[in-house]
């Protein structure tokens, strides 16, 4: 590996960080909003709506993300193009990543809610709390804090999974797409992809450290055990 090429490639792929982070953060926000809605549907609305929400979760968790990106961009995008609506690669990538993340975040929220001891539900019922009041004032604040580690992990996964959007030609180019450009122009494939891997690692490592800080700061007393975080 030519070290000079590696450094040059590293400097070049760094320019894709804004696009990569935009893809990850926007899709995470979509997933957070839609995942919250799916949680409420599964816990509060009458059947068959909870079944439909569960079907959505299983469908997106059970199919490859790359296939979902192609469906959104070429399938849905191609269909809408017949009506004069164009979906650019960046928008398609955010939508596909967001819809996929929503399924995983819905499961994160569900498991966090189910981790709350049943005694707290019974205590709220004894104090004549309604189901909505119990969820809003007792269950949700704790569930969000329990879900924080998994949510931060989901954000890290989205940063890495955003590299898949490069296959549909997202512009401006993300980290992986810029590595593709550099490798094709310099024929330095190993150096280019090692540079991309380095940038992804540094971003994800920083996010992990930030997540550990957030977890410690907002951990519920008694949930944080020495040596785990």
């Amino acid at each position: 590996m030519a070290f000079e090429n590696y450094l040059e490639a590293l400097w070049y792929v760094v320019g894709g960080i804004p696009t990569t982070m935009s893809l990850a953060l926007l899709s995470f926000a979509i997933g957070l909003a839609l995942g919250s809605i799916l949680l409420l549907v599964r816990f509060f609305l009458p059947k068959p709506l909870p079944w439909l929400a569960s079907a959505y979760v299983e469908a997106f968790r059970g199919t490859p993300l790359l296939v979902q990106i192609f469906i959104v961009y070429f399938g849905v995008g191609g269909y809408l193009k017949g009506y004069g609506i164009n979906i650019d690669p960046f928008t398609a990538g955010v939508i596909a990543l967001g819809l996929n993340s929503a399924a995983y975040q819905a499961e994160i929220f569900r498991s966090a809610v189910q981790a709350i001891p049943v005694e707290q539900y019974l205590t709220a019922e004894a104090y004549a709390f309604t189901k909505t009041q119990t969820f809003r004032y007792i269950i949700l604040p704790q569930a969000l804090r329990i879900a924080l580690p998994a949510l931060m992990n989901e954000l890290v996964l989205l940063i890495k999974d955003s590299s898949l959007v490069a296959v549909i030609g997202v512009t401006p180019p993300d980290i992986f797409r810029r590595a593709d450009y550099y490798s094709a122009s310099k024929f330095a494939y190993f150096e280019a992809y090692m540079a991309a891997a380095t940038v992804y690692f540094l971003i994800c490592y920083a996010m992990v450290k930030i997540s550990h800080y957030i977890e410690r700061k907002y951990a519920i007393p008694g949930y944080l055990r020495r040596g785990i975080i």
Side-chain angles (χ1 to χ4, degrees):
M1 180 179 68
F3 191 67
E4 295 80 6
N5 285 342
Y6 170 75
L7 291 178
E8 185 181 29
L10 189 63
W11 181 255
Y12 182 73
V13 300
V14 161
I17 291 178
T19 300
T20 293
M21 293 305 297
S22 296
L23 285 166
L25 293 174
L26 289 173
S27 57
F28 182 81
I30 292 174
L32 187 65
L34 186 53
S36 302
I37 294 173
L38 290 170
L39 173 70
L40 296 176
V41 169
R42 296 169 85 175
F43 275 88
F44 288 101
L45 296 186
K47 297 176 180 178
L49 293 177
W51 295 343
L52 296 176
S54 296
Y56 172 95
V57 170
E58 296 305 323
F60 276 89
R61 293 176 66 206
T63 54
L65 176 56
L66 184 60
V67 174
Q68 296 167 18
I69 292 172
F70 274 48
I71 289 175
V72 171
Y73 183 61
F74 293 108
V76 177
Y79 178 80
L80 293 177
K81 190 174 292 185
Y83 294 92
I85 302 174
N86 292 319
I87 300 180
D88 61 274
F90 182 88
T91 303
V94 169
I95 293 173
L97 288 169
L99 293 176
N100 179 272
S101 181
Y104 288 93
Q105 292 193 52
E107 283 297 284
I108 291 171
F109 290 139
R110 182 186 63 83
S111 62
V113 168
Q114 292 179 339
I116 306 298
V118 68
E119 289 81 7
Q120 297 199 27
Y121 292 91
L122 298 176
T123 302
E125 185 178 351
Y127 279 95
F129 277 34
T130 65
K131 186 176 181 179
T132 302
Q133 290 174 326
T134 301
F135 187 82
R136 178 180 177 183
Y137 296 110
I138 299 177
I139 304 304
L140 185 59
Q142 297 181 81
L144 288 176
R145 294 165 78 177
I146 293 172
L148 267 176
L151 288 175
M152 294 302 296
N153 182 66
E154 174 64 15
L155 179 56
V156 171
L157 290 175
L158 281 172
I159 293 172
K160 294 185 291 184
D161 288 344
S162 66
S163 61
L164 294 174
V165 181
V167 300
I168 58 175
V170 63
T171 54
D174 66 325
I175 294 171
F176 186 70
R177 189 69 171 173
R178 289 180 76 89
D180 271 342
Y181 289 160
Y182 184 87
S183 63
S185 62
K186 300 289 186 177
F187 298 101
Y189 299 97
F190 186 72
E191 293 86 345
Y193 295 124
M194 279 299 297
T198 301
V199 175
Y200 279 117
F201 171 77
L202 292 175
I203 294 174
C204 293
Y205 184 77
M207 293 301 301
V208 167
K209 290 301 181 182
I210 293 172
S211 72
H212 286 174
Y213 171 77
I214 295 174
E215 290 164 26
R216 290 189 182 97
K217 184 176 178 62
Y218 294 102
I220 299 174
Y223 280 80
L224 182 61
R225 298 192 295 273
R226 185 181 300 274
I228 293 181
I229 299 179

